[in-house]
């Protein structure tokens, strides 16, 4: 997610442009070791992601498009899934994955969220703000912060850089086939990441986006990643890119959506975002 600032062009939620001298590669992986073999590229593509923007980390997992960290088993599960819904391939609408979080027809299901140690204090405030914003729409899922356990766990780590940019966050996938949210995501506490995520509102912006992935929302502009400027888009793949009824078929130049691949820095939910949330949950 990119935002223009007087200092640099920054990528929010996923990455921030590496204009800070202190940003260095965190993983102890050589350039050759991080490159994917052809069979690995094919697996990434089959799972519905851009294989030209993927690399292998020192742990053996795959960093996809800057912000999604998946194991080989997760990619294989996504690649092997049989689509059970039709989807519309367009440029800039709101989309969800085939799997969403199971919720009751009436009432709500509580999804617990835990922030682990290792963050500046304002990240905690940012999480509280994100939870309050989601819950303000009286959805069929309700977020609740907890101090132990947690359906969605937010961890801290120095995520380093990828593709010349400073990584701000990495999601661990999308909802599972049994109707549970993704297990969580990691936010970077590196100096280059916190140079952008410098207050509670910025933390709220990134956290809300990553929670969106955990409960099944794709990037609004997944097909083109137009909000990031020229470059490759994402494919629907077997995880799905189901158009959400009632959302616009075009996005204005302001790129105001909490799930745009890159953002203009507005942390709020737009009217179309609210429609998407209410339609799905």
């Amino acid at each position: 997610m990119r935002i223009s600032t007087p200092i640099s062009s920054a990528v929010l939620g996923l990455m921030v442009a590496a204009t800070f001298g202190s940003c260095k590669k965190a993983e102890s992986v050589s350039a050759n070791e991080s490159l994917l073999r052809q069979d690995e590229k094919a697996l990434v593509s089959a799972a519905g992601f851009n294989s030209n923007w993927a690399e292998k980390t020192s742990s053996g997992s795959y960093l996809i498009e800057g912000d999604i960290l998946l194991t080989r088993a997760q990619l294989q599960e996504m690649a092997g899934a049989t689509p059970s819904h039709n989807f519309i391939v367009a440029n800039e609408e709101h989309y969800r994955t085939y799997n969403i979080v199971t919720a009751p027809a009436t009432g709500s299901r509580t999804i617990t969220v835990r922030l682990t140690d290792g963050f500046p204090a304002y990240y905690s405030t940012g999480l509280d703000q994100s939870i309050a914003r989601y819950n303000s729409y009286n959805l069929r899922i309700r977020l609740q912060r907890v101090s132990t356990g947690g359906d969605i766990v937010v961890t801290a780590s120095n995520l380093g850089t990828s593709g010349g940019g400073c990584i701000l966050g990495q999601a661990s996938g999308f909802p599972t086939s049994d109707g549970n949210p993704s297990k969580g995501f990691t936010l970077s506490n590196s100096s280059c990441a916190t140079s952008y995520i410098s207050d509670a509102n910025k933390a709220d912006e990134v956290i809300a986006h990553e929670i969106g992935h955990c409960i099944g929302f794709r990037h609004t502009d997944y097909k083109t990643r137009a909000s990031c400027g020229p470059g490759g888009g994402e494919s629907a793949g077997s995880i799905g890119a189901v158009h959400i009824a009632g959302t616009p078929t075009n996005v204005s130049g302001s790129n105001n959506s909490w799930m745009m691949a890159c953002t203009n820095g507005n942390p709020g939910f737009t009217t179309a975002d609210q429609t998407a949330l209410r339609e799905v949950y």
Side-chain angles (χ1 to χ4, degrees), residues 218-231:
R218 293 289 301 263
H219 289 143
T220 306
D221 57 341
Y222 88 95
K223 185 64 176 177
T224 63
R225 294 180 71 93
S227 61
C228 303

Side-chain angles (χ1 to χ4, degrees), residues 195-211:
S195 292
Y196 180 77
I197 311 176
S198 57
D199 58 32
N201 288 336
K202 296 294 187 187
D204 174 6
E205 187 175 12
V206 178
I207 289 169
H209 179 94
E210 300 298 351
I211 288 176

Side-chain angles (χ1 to χ4, degrees), residues 95-178:
Y95 296 90
R96 65 168 176 83
T97 53
Y98 293 133
N99 295 333
I100 59 173
V101 176
T102 301
T106 59
S108 62
R109 173 185 175 181
T110 297
I111 304 297
T112 56
V113 185
R114 176 166 62 94
L115 187 72
T116 62
D117 296 333
F119 292 103
Y122 59 82
Y123 277 66
S124 179
T125 304
L127 174 59
D128 289 338
Q129 290 179 189
S130 286
I131 288 174
R133 288 199 293 125
Y134 274 103
N135 290 344
S136 69
Y137 299 113
N138 297 316
L139 307 174
R140 291 184 298 113
I141 58 171
R142 185 167 186 83
L143 302 179
Q144 176 181 311
R145 185 167 178 179
V146 294
S147 57
T148 60
D151 300 309
I152 297 173
V153 179
V154 188
T155 56
S157 181
N158 184 334
L159 298 178
T161 62
S162 174
C166 176
I167 303 168
L168 299 184
Q170 290 176 353
S172 60
F174 299 97
T176 60
S177 58
D178 58 0

Side-chain angles (χ1 to χ4, degrees), residues 8 16 21 45 66 69 87 89 100 117 128 140 214 237 262 271 279:
S8 66
V16 62
S45 295
L69 188 67
F87 61 89
V89 177
I100 59 173
D117 296 333
D128 289 338
R140 291 184 298 113
C214 289
C262 297
T271 300
E279 179 68 22

Side-chain angles (χ1 to χ4, degrees), residues 43 62 70-79:
L43 178 60
Y62 298 86
L70 300 172
T71 64
R72 185 176 182 87
Q74 286 175 305
L75 286 171
Q76 288 171 329
E77 181 181 2
M78 292 176 180

Side-chain angles (χ1 to χ4, degrees), residues 2 92 221 226-229 251-260 262-266 270:
R2 177 172 298 151
E92 296 174 341
D221 57 341
S227 61
C228 303
V251 176
S252 69
S254 61
N255 290 320
N256 280 338
S257 172
W258 104 107
M259 290 308 298
M260 296 298 276
C262 297
T263 187
N264 64 0
N266 184 350
T270 66

